Amino acid sequence: MSCDPKIVWTHAQRDPFPGGHTNEVRLIGQDVKRYLERFPLTVSNRLEEGTTNWFLQCIERTWTRNGAPLAWVLNTIDRVEVAEECITIAGVCSPFISSKPAQGVSE
């Protein structure tokens, strides 16, 4: 399944809630690779929460928002791989949970 980044938010969590899903983000291009070069680009175990938060926020800044409702939240970075011009980042994600009722839904 692929997903438009416009409906994805990032929120680092050591123990993702509700979690239960995995994600794989592919960032392509030399500009992205240079932008992220200060991060660990070979990871095979979950990064600690502080590094994950910083890394995810930098990734999110490369996406353009259009006001679409959010659907997914990236919570962890468990694996990072680099091949040529592609950086692949994988981890746990959660469905987006809003404290506001969905539009058109009454209580």
Side-chain angles (χ1 to χ4, degrees):
M1 173 176 95
S2 65
C3 179
D4 186 340
K6 294 174 185 156
I7 63 168
V8 177
W9 181 54
T10 63
H11 179 68
Q13 292 180 307
R14 189 174 323 124
D15 186 20
F17 177 82
H21 300 274
T22 58
N23 70 80
E24 188 172 276
V25 176
R26 289 187 187 98
L27 305 164
I28 299 171
Q30 286 298 322
D31 290 341
V32 172
K33 198 170 174 181
R34 276 191 295 278
Y35 176 66
L36 297 174
E37 69 187 357
R38 65 182 168 260
F39 293 102
L41 294 181
T42 303
V43 173
S44 59
N45 293 306
R46 182 166 293 176
L47 291 177
E48 59 88 18
E49 193 171 356
T51 303
T52 296
N53 186 48
W54 188 36
F55 204 154
L56 289 175
Q57 285 181 10
C58 285
I59 292 167
E60 188 175 12
R61 285 185 204 121
T62 69
W63 299 336
T64 304
R65 295 266 183 256
N66 69 352
L70 297 172
W72 295 101
V73 181
L74 306 183
N75 301 122
T76 70
I77 295 177
D78 299 339
R79 180 175 50 86
V80 179
E81 297 173 349
V82 177
E84 305 266 332
E85 291 189 14
C86 180
I87 299 173
T88 302
I89 299 160
V92 174
C93 63
S94 301
F96 183 80
I97 298 173
S98 175
S99 59
K100 298 177 186 176
Q103 198 172 38
V105 175
S106 58
E107 294 183 17

